[in-house]
Amino acid sequence: MNLEATLGKLYSVYMYPARFPSKIFDSFFSKLGVRGVIFDPFAGSGSLALASYLKCYDSVVWDLNPMIHVIVDASVNVVRGYSVGEVLRLLEDALRYGRGWLPSGAGYWWPEQVLDIISRVWGFFRDNMASFNDSKLAFEPYDERWSLYAVVALYASRRLSYTDDSVPKWFKSRYKVGKLATLLSVNDVRELFWRYARLKAGRIARAQESLVKPNCEPNVEVKVVDVVTASKYPDGVAGTLTSPPYVQAQEYIRSFSGELKLLGVPDSTISRLRSLEIPYRPPLNLNVESPTYQELLEGLEHKYRKLLESYFTNTLQVLERTAENMMEKAILGAFAGEATVRGKPVPIIKVVREHLTRKLNLREVEGGIIEDRIRRRRLFKKRKNMNPNGIQVEHLTLLRKEPVKR
């Protein structure tokens, strides 16, 4: 199986701002020394779960963002061959549905003449496809096609909203307001919704045609978890590959707040999950064993020093707990870009590598340091801050857990 080509097709199931490059997976899986579960504590869109599924490994992926459940479930079902045509038939039923529902603030994001469509589509989803269990932080499906329905309906709903089409983050675009006014003046709103729904469904169907299902059915476990305070980490882990947040460069709960509202996640839960993102947590009592980290803190203003202390102590605690539950000879891979604080580069992966190899029985894998230059990223350009061009390069380090000397 061509992993790069297959993942490229699955990445098109729903827009996400950053994904693992396929060559990272090639390096990771080639270094695995034992068979077991593959784990990602900062899973984002769940790319590792998809790669593991295609490579016939069981996987456990965690993230704070409930969108991970939708994206992973939909992508795996695309590989399994679920019919996208059936999703379009469900949407036909939805547009005739009589019990509508709208999230709070819907009138800010959609023109008045679009609200009836949005109400029917998402009222149908809540009653017939899936609901969000707030106490478990999980979607509870009523229909196995729920996630494919969700990604098609979300795409069409976004296209009819005032938010920008080119980036995931929800914001009201003046250009889009004018564009929608023009479209709605000459098109029937239902026809527009159908145009976008068929467009998305068609792209998924074309991707599906050339996919090869693996000769296995590995287990994929997806959970919304506060990874910093989780009481129990997975056992029997043969490999971890993760991309921790890039200091303050990623706020994915905020970016996907519009989708989460449509999917029925309560506003209070969205706010609570945002507050748990690592940049907003207090520092932990953890000694960071990295000379590079100590150099970074020198000369920084108090609030930026505290930001880095919070970021690294929380992130490194998660990686320590992950490593403790890995089997001997298991691989831990960390992948991140060089974010900046006040224009000063923060070599995240260098700090991670120094700390873990000094504190734990982890050693660098030969050939396990990779640099990847970012060619495509769904971010705003020419931003008015001290790093206007964003993150340009990302780094991977692979570490092997050595046997404990007795």
Side-chain angles (χ1 to χ4, degrees), residues 142-183:
Y142 310 138
D143 187 302
E144 62 185 6
R145 299 161 294 183
W146 75 277
S147 56
L148 279 173
Y149 177 103
V151 296
V152 173
L154 285 170
Y155 177 82
S157 298
R158 274 193 63 119
R159 293 301 295 267
L160 288 176
S161 77
Y162 292 133
T163 193
D164 190 278
D165 294 329
S166 62
V167 293
K169 185 176 178 179
W170 282 69
F171 80 102
K172 198 168 187 176
S173 161
R174 291 182 182 178
Y175 167 77
K176 187 71 179 294
V177 170
K179 178 182 177 181
L180 267 184
T182 301
L183 281 172

Tab-separated table of all heavy atoms in Angstrom, residues 142-183:
chain	number	residue	atom	x	y	z
A	142	TYR	N	-26.408	7.121	16.629
A	142	TYR	CA	-27.634	6.360	16.420
A	142	TYR	C	-27.577	5.628	15.090
A	142	TYR	O	-28.362	4.713	14.840
A	142	TYR	CB	-28.858	7.293	16.390
A	142	TYR	CG	-28.953	8.263	17.539
A	142	TYR	CD1	-29.329	9.574	17.324
A	142	TYR	CD2	-28.680	7.858	18.853
A	142	TYR	CE1	-29.437	10.474	18.377
A	142	TYR	CE2	-28.777	8.757	19.901
A	142	TYR	CZ	-29.159	10.067	19.656
A	142	TYR	OH	-29.261	10.960	20.697
A	143	ASP	N	-26.668	6.040	14.228
A	143	ASP	CA	-26.556	5.514	12.870
A	143	ASP	C	-25.068	5.455	12.528
A	143	ASP	O	-24.332	6.418	12.775
A	143	ASP	CB	-27.309	6.433	11.893
A	143	ASP	CG	-27.404	5.878	10.478
A	143	ASP	OD1	-26.344	5.617	9.880
A	143	ASP	OD2	-28.531	5.714	9.979
A	144	GLU	N	-24.620	4.337	11.957
A	144	GLU	CA	-23.192	4.174	11.688
A	144	GLU	C	-22.670	5.156	10.642
A	144	GLU	O	-21.455	5.355	10.504
A	144	GLU	CB	-22.890	2.744	11.239
A	144	GLU	CG	-23.583	2.334	9.962
A	144	GLU	CD	-23.352	0.879	9.616
A	144	GLU	OE1	-22.750	0.156	10.433
A	144	GLU	OE2	-23.769	0.472	8.527
A	145	ARG	N	-23.558	5.819	9.917
A	145	ARG	CA	-23.149	6.795	8.903
A	145	ARG	C	-23.047	8.211	9.466
A	145	ARG	O	-22.868	9.176	8.719
A	145	ARG	CB	-24.152	6.766	7.735
A	145	ARG	CG	-24.235	5.418	7.038
A	145	ARG	CD	-25.503	5.273	6.221
A	145	ARG	NE	-26.701	5.265	7.072
A	145	ARG	CZ	-27.940	5.083	6.611
A	145	ARG	NH1	-28.147	4.881	5.327
A	145	ARG	NH2	-28.981	5.106	7.443
A	146	TRP	N	-23.143	8.349	10.778
A	146	TRP	CA	-23.233	9.659	11.418
A	146	TRP	C	-22.075	10.587	11.065
A	146	TRP	O	-22.269	11.781	10.807
A	146	TRP	CB	-23.331	9.497	12.941
A	146	TRP	CG	-22.031	9.126	13.595
A	146	TRP	CD1	-21.488	7.870	13.707
A	146	TRP	CD2	-21.092	10.011	14.215
A	146	TRP	NE1	-20.286	7.917	14.355
A	146	TRP	CE2	-20.017	9.230	14.680
A	146	TRP	CE3	-21.059	11.396	14.424
A	146	TRP	CZ2	-18.914	9.771	15.341
A	146	TRP	CZ3	-19.958	11.948	15.077
A	146	TRP	CH2	-18.907	11.128	15.533
A	147	SER	N	-20.854	10.049	11.068
A	147	SER	CA	-19.686	10.914	10.870
A	147	SER	C	-19.555	11.359	9.415
A	147	SER	O	-19.131	12.495	9.146
A	147	SER	CB	-18.406	10.205	11.337
A	147	SER	OG	-18.255	8.961	10.662
A	148	LEU	N	-19.902	10.487	8.479
A	148	LEU	CA	-19.874	10.892	7.076
A	148	LEU	C	-20.952	11.938	6.799
A	148	LEU	O	-20.734	12.897	6.050
A	148	LEU	CB	-20.054	9.678	6.161
A	148	LEU	CG	-18.798	8.838	5.918
A	148	LEU	CD1	-19.123	7.581	5.136
A	148	LEU	CD2	-17.750	9.659	5.174
A	149	TYR	N	-22.132	11.748	7.386
A	149	TYR	CA	-23.174	12.777	7.302
A	149	TYR	C	-22.615	14.095	7.850
A	149	TYR	O	-22.795	15.158	7.253
A	149	TYR	CB	-24.397	12.333	8.102
A	149	TYR	CG	-25.528	13.343	8.163
A	149	TYR	CD1	-26.663	13.188	7.374
A	149	TYR	CD2	-25.479	14.447	9.033
A	149	TYR	CE1	-27.716	14.109	7.440
A	149	TYR	CE2	-26.516	15.365	9.097
A	149	TYR	CZ	-27.636	15.195	8.300
A	149	TYR	OH	-28.663	16.108	8.355
A	150	ALA	N	-21.935	14.020	8.992
A	150	ALA	CA	-21.435	15.225	9.647
A	150	ALA	C	-20.452	15.982	8.763
A	150	ALA	O	-20.561	17.209	8.618
A	150	ALA	CB	-20.789	14.874	10.981
A	151	VAL	N	-19.466	15.280	8.157
A	151	VAL	CA	-18.445	16.009	7.396
A	151	VAL	C	-19.040	16.644	6.137
A	151	VAL	O	-18.650	17.757	5.747
A	151	VAL	CB	-17.230	15.122	7.044
A	151	VAL	CG1	-16.504	14.678	8.302
A	151	VAL	CG2	-17.602	13.937	6.190
A	152	VAL	N	-19.994	15.970	5.495
A	152	VAL	CA	-20.628	16.551	4.308
A	152	VAL	C	-21.498	17.745	4.711
A	152	VAL	O	-21.447	18.816	4.087
A	152	VAL	CB	-21.463	15.496	3.550
A	152	VAL	CG1	-22.255	16.144	2.405
A	152	VAL	CG2	-20.561	14.395	2.999
A	153	ALA	N	-22.295	17.585	5.778
A	153	ALA	CA	-23.175	18.661	6.227
A	153	ALA	C	-22.377	19.843	6.779
A	153	ALA	O	-22.755	21.007	6.579
A	153	ALA	CB	-24.142	18.136	7.282
A	154	LEU	N	-21.280	19.570	7.461
A	154	LEU	CA	-20.440	20.655	7.971
A	154	LEU	C	-19.830	21.464	6.831
A	154	LEU	O	-19.770	22.697	6.871
A	154	LEU	CB	-19.327	20.099	8.868
A	154	LEU	CG	-19.736	19.636	10.262
A	154	LEU	CD1	-18.597	18.884	10.939
A	154	LEU	CD2	-20.201	20.799	11.133
A	155	TYR	N	-19.372	20.765	5.808
A	155	TYR	CA	-18.771	21.460	4.667
A	155	TYR	C	-19.793	22.392	4.013
A	155	TYR	O	-19.514	23.580	3.784
A	155	TYR	CB	-18.262	20.442	3.647
A	155	TYR	CG	-17.700	21.077	2.395
A	155	TYR	CD1	-16.390	21.555	2.376
A	155	TYR	CD2	-18.471	21.207	1.239
A	155	TYR	CE1	-15.871	22.146	1.234
A	155	TYR	CE2	-17.962	21.806	0.100
A	155	TYR	CZ	-16.659	22.275	0.104
A	155	TYR	OH	-16.155	22.870	-1.024
A	156	ALA	N	-20.977	21.869	3.729
A	156	ALA	CA	-22.007	22.689	3.086
A	156	ALA	C	-22.453	23.830	3.999
A	156	ALA	O	-22.692	24.957	3.533
A	156	ALA	CB	-23.192	21.811	2.692
A	157	SER	N	-22.561	23.562	5.288
A	157	SER	CA	-22.985	24.593	6.239
A	157	SER	C	-21.955	25.718	6.324
A	157	SER	O	-22.309	26.905	6.398
A	157	SER	CB	-23.211	23.981	7.621
A	157	SER	OG	-24.234	23.006	7.590
A	158	ARG	N	-20.685	25.354	6.333
A	158	ARG	CA	-19.616	26.373	6.355
A	158	ARG	C	-19.653	27.227	5.099
A	158	ARG	O	-19.468	28.447	5.150
A	158	ARG	CB	-18.240	25.708	6.473
A	158	ARG	CG	-17.776	25.410	7.875
A	158	ARG	CD	-16.297	25.070	7.878
A	158	ARG	NE	-15.525	26.221	7.430
A	158	ARG	CZ	-14.609	26.846	8.179
A	158	ARG	NH1	-14.367	26.440	9.413
A	158	ARG	NH2	-13.942	27.872	7.698
A	159	ARG	N	-19.836	26.593	3.949
A	159	ARG	CA	-19.831	27.344	2.692
A	159	ARG	C	-20.967	28.365	2.624
A	159	ARG	O	-20.866	29.372	1.933
A	159	ARG	CB	-19.911	26.385	1.503
A	159	ARG	CG	-18.687	25.501	1.295
A	159	ARG	CD	-17.410	26.304	1.072
A	159	ARG	NE	-17.436	27.070	-0.155
A	159	ARG	CZ	-16.963	26.648	-1.329
A	159	ARG	NH1	-16.436	25.422	-1.417
A	159	ARG	NH2	-17.010	27.419	-2.407
A	160	LEU	N	-22.047	28.105	3.343
A	160	LEU	CA	-23.173	29.040	3.369
A	160	LEU	C	-23.120	29.994	4.559
A	160	LEU	O	-24.063	30.736	4.810
A	160	LEU	CB	-24.494	28.268	3.390
A	160	LEU	CG	-24.866	27.579	2.075
A	160	LEU	CD1	-26.135	26.756	2.239
A	160	LEU	CD2	-25.037	28.591	0.944
A	161	SER	N	-21.994	29.966	5.289
A	161	SER	CA	-21.821	30.855	6.438
A	161	SER	C	-20.940	32.035	6.058
A	161	SER	O	-20.364	32.085	4.971
A	161	SER	CB	-21.193	30.102	7.610
A	161	SER	OG	-19.802	29.932	7.389
A	162	TYR	N	-20.805	32.988	6.982
A	162	TYR	CA	-19.972	34.163	6.748
A	162	TYR	C	-18.494	33.918	7.033
A	162	TYR	O	-17.680	34.822	6.858
A	162	TYR	CB	-20.448	35.320	7.637
A	162	TYR	CG	-21.798	35.873	7.278
A	162	TYR	CD1	-22.757	36.100	8.275
A	162	TYR	CD2	-22.132	36.182	5.959
A	162	TYR	CE1	-24.001	36.634	7.963
A	162	TYR	CE2	-23.376	36.705	5.644
A	162	TYR	CZ	-24.310	36.921	6.641
A	162	TYR	OH	-25.533	37.447	6.334
A	163	THR	N	-18.137	32.722	7.496
A	163	THR	CA	-16.735	32.478	7.809
A	163	THR	C	-15.924	32.235	6.543
A	163	THR	O	-16.452	31.790	5.524
A	163	THR	CB	-16.579	31.291	8.786
A	163	THR	OG1	-15.244	31.283	9.300
A	163	THR	CG2	-16.823	29.953	8.106
A	164	ASP	N	-14.622	32.512	6.627
A	164	ASP	CA	-13.736	32.346	5.481
A	164	ASP	C	-13.648	30.877	5.076
A	164	ASP	O	-13.569	30.002	5.935
A	164	ASP	CB	-12.346	32.881	5.836
A	164	ASP	CG	-11.425	32.986	4.643
A	164	ASP	OD1	-10.838	31.954	4.277
A	164	ASP	OD2	-11.304	34.085	4.076
A	165	ASP	N	-13.634	30.606	3.774
A	165	ASP	CA	-13.623	29.224	3.296
A	165	ASP	C	-12.229	28.602	3.282
A	165	ASP	O	-12.100	27.379	3.197
A	165	ASP	CB	-14.175	29.155	1.857
A	165	ASP	CG	-15.646	29.514	1.784
A	165	ASP	OD1	-16.369	29.253	2.764
A	165	ASP	OD2	-16.073	30.062	0.748
A	166	SER	N	-11.177	29.422	3.334
A	166	SER	CA	-9.838	28.904	3.077
A	166	SER	C	-9.077	28.473	4.321
A	166	SER	O	-8.039	27.831	4.206
A	166	SER	CB	-9.016	29.960	2.321
A	166	SER	OG	-8.870	31.136	3.102
A	167	VAL	N	-9.558	28.852	5.520
A	167	VAL	CA	-8.869	28.468	6.754
A	167	VAL	C	-9.882	27.910	7.744
A	167	VAL	O	-11.062	28.286	7.711
A	167	VAL	CB	-8.124	29.667	7.393
A	167	VAL	CG1	-6.967	30.114	6.529
A	167	VAL	CG2	-9.076	30.825	7.645
A	168	PRO	N	-9.466	27.007	8.631
A	168	PRO	CA	-10.424	26.395	9.557
A	168	PRO	C	-11.017	27.364	10.578
A	168	PRO	O	-12.163	27.223	10.968
A	168	PRO	CB	-9.590	25.312	10.252
A	168	PRO	CG	-8.429	25.065	9.357
A	168	PRO	CD	-8.139	26.369	8.691
A	169	LYS	N	-10.230	28.328	11.028
A	169	LYS	CA	-10.682	29.206	12.109
A	169	LYS	C	-11.924	29.993	11.700
A	169	LYS	O	-11.976	30.576	10.629
A	169	LYS	CB	-9.551	30.162	12.480
A	169	LYS	CG	-9.858	31.050	13.671
A	169	LYS	CD	-8.633	31.892	14.005
A	169	LYS	CE	-8.901	32.835	15.157
A	169	LYS	NZ	-7.707	33.635	15.492
A	170	TRP	N	-12.918	30.042	12.590
A	170	TRP	CA	-14.154	30.767	12.312
A	170	TRP	C	-13.974	32.250	12.602
A	170	TRP	O	-13.625	32.648	13.714
A	170	TRP	CB	-15.299	30.203	13.158
A	170	TRP	CG	-15.843	28.934	12.610
A	170	TRP	CD1	-15.209	27.724	12.564
A	170	TRP	CD2	-17.125	28.729	12.015
A	170	TRP	NE1	-16.005	26.787	11.970
A	170	TRP	CE2	-17.201	27.369	11.622
A	170	TRP	CE3	-18.220	29.553	11.778
A	170	TRP	CZ2	-18.320	26.819	11.014
A	170	TRP	CZ3	-19.350	29.013	11.167
A	170	TRP	CH2	-19.386	27.661	10.780
A	171	PHE	N	-14.177	33.082	11.580
A	171	PHE	CA	-14.246	34.518	11.763
A	171	PHE	C	-15.120	35.084	10.652
A	171	PHE	O	-15.212	34.526	9.559
A	171	PHE	CB	-12.848	35.160	11.749
A	171	PHE	CG	-12.285	35.362	10.361
A	171	PHE	CD1	-12.304	36.609	9.767
A	171	PHE	CD2	-11.742	34.292	9.661
A	171	PHE	CE1	-11.792	36.794	8.492
A	171	PHE	CE2	-11.227	34.473	8.391
A	171	PHE	CZ	-11.252	35.730	7.800
A	172	LYS	N	-15.782	36.173	10.937
A	172	LYS	CA	-16.721	36.758	9.985
A	172	LYS	C	-15.948	37.575	8.955
A	172	LYS	O	-15.344	38.600	9.281
A	172	LYS	CB	-17.750	37.629	10.712
A	172	LYS	CG	-18.993	37.935	9.894
A	172	LYS	CD	-20.072	38.547	10.778
A	172	LYS	CE	-21.380	38.715	10.035
A	172	LYS	NZ	-22.463	39.231	10.920
A	173	SER	N	-15.988	37.127	7.721
A	173	SER	CA	-15.217	37.729	6.642
A	173	SER	C	-16.081	38.723	5.862
A	173	SER	O	-17.159	38.367	5.382
A	173	SER	CB	-14.707	36.628	5.707
A	173	SER	OG	-14.340	37.143	4.460
A	174	ARG	N	-15.604	39.947	5.710
A	174	ARG	CA	-16.344	40.931	4.921
A	174	ARG	C	-16.509	40.455	3.480
A	174	ARG	O	-17.554	40.646	2.860
A	174	ARG	CB	-15.615	42.269	4.937
A	174	ARG	CG	-15.625	42.976	6.275
A	174	ARG	CD	-14.906	44.316	6.167
A	174	ARG	NE	-14.856	44.996	7.458
A	174	ARG	CZ	-14.246	46.169	7.643
A	174	ARG	NH1	-13.647	46.769	6.631
A	174	ARG	NH2	-14.242	46.723	8.837
A	175	TYR	N	-15.444	39.867	2.961
A	175	TYR	CA	-15.518	39.355	1.589
A	175	TYR	C	-16.613	38.300	1.462
A	175	TYR	O	-17.398	38.302	0.515
A	175	TYR	CB	-14.168	38.762	1.191
A	175	TYR	CG	-14.227	37.943	-0.080
A	175	TYR	CD1	-14.284	38.558	-1.323
A	175	TYR	CD2	-14.239	36.540	-0.026
A	175	TYR	CE1	-14.354	37.813	-2.495
A	175	TYR	CE2	-14.312	35.793	-1.186
A	175	TYR	CZ	-14.368	36.429	-2.411
A	175	TYR	OH	-14.446	35.685	-3.558
A	176	LYS	N	-16.682	37.405	2.459
A	176	LYS	CA	-17.667	36.330	2.390
A	176	LYS	C	-19.090	36.871	2.541
A	176	LYS	O	-20.026	36.353	1.920
A	176	LYS	CB	-17.363	35.293	3.484
A	176	LYS	CG	-18.210	34.030	3.427
A	176	LYS	CD	-17.839	33.157	2.245
A	176	LYS	CE	-18.671	31.894	2.232
A	176	LYS	NZ	-18.395	31.007	3.369
A	177	VAL	N	-19.265	37.899	3.357
A	177	VAL	CA	-20.589	38.503	3.500
A	177	VAL	C	-21.084	38.988	2.141
A	177	VAL	O	-22.228	38.734	1.737
A	177	VAL	CB	-20.553	39.664	4.519
A	177	VAL	CG1	-21.870	40.445	4.486
A	177	VAL	CG2	-20.297	39.133	5.928
A	178	GLY	N	-20.212	39.688	1.405
A	178	GLY	CA	-20.588	40.175	0.087
A	178	GLY	C	-20.796	39.063	-0.911
A	178	GLY	O	-21.742	39.093	-1.721
A	179	LYS	N	-19.930	38.052	-0.856
A	179	LYS	CA	-20.036	36.922	-1.779
A	179	LYS	C	-21.353	36.183	-1.591
A	179	LYS	O	-22.040	35.830	-2.565
A	179	LYS	CB	-18.860	35.961	-1.565
A	179	LYS	CG	-18.898	34.725	-2.455
A	179	LYS	CD	-17.726	33.801	-2.148
A	179	LYS	CE	-17.802	32.521	-2.978
A	179	LYS	NZ	-16.677	31.608	-2.662
A	180	LEU	N	-21.717	35.938	-0.328
A	180	LEU	CA	-22.968	35.223	-0.052
A	180	LEU	C	-24.187	36.034	-0.500
A	180	LEU	O	-25.154	35.479	-1.032
A	180	LEU	CB	-23.088	34.915	1.437
A	180	LEU	CG	-22.569	33.561	1.920
A	180	LEU	CD1	-22.852	33.397	3.405
A	180	LEU	CD2	-23.193	32.421	1.151
A	181	ALA	N	-24.132	37.342	-0.274
A	181	ALA	CA	-25.252	38.186	-0.693
A	181	ALA	C	-25.469	38.075	-2.195
A	181	ALA	O	-26.613	37.972	-2.675
A	181	ALA	CB	-24.991	39.635	-0.291
A	182	THR	N	-24.393	38.053	-2.956
A	182	THR	CA	-24.488	37.921	-4.410
A	182	THR	C	-25.029	36.552	-4.798
A	182	THR	O	-25.931	36.438	-5.647
A	182	THR	CB	-23.104	38.142	-5.050
A	182	THR	OG1	-22.632	39.447	-4.704
A	182	THR	CG2	-23.185	38.007	-6.566
A	183	LEU	N	-24.482	35.499	-4.184
A	183	LEU	CA	-24.930	34.139	-4.506
A	183	LEU	C	-26.412	33.942	-4.211
A	183	LEU	O	-27.164	33.370	-5.003
A	183	LEU	CB	-24.112	33.122	-3.705
A	183	LEU	CG	-22.713	32.788	-4.212
A	183	LEU	CD1	-21.977	31.926	-3.195
A	183	LEU	CD2	-22.780	32.055	-5.555
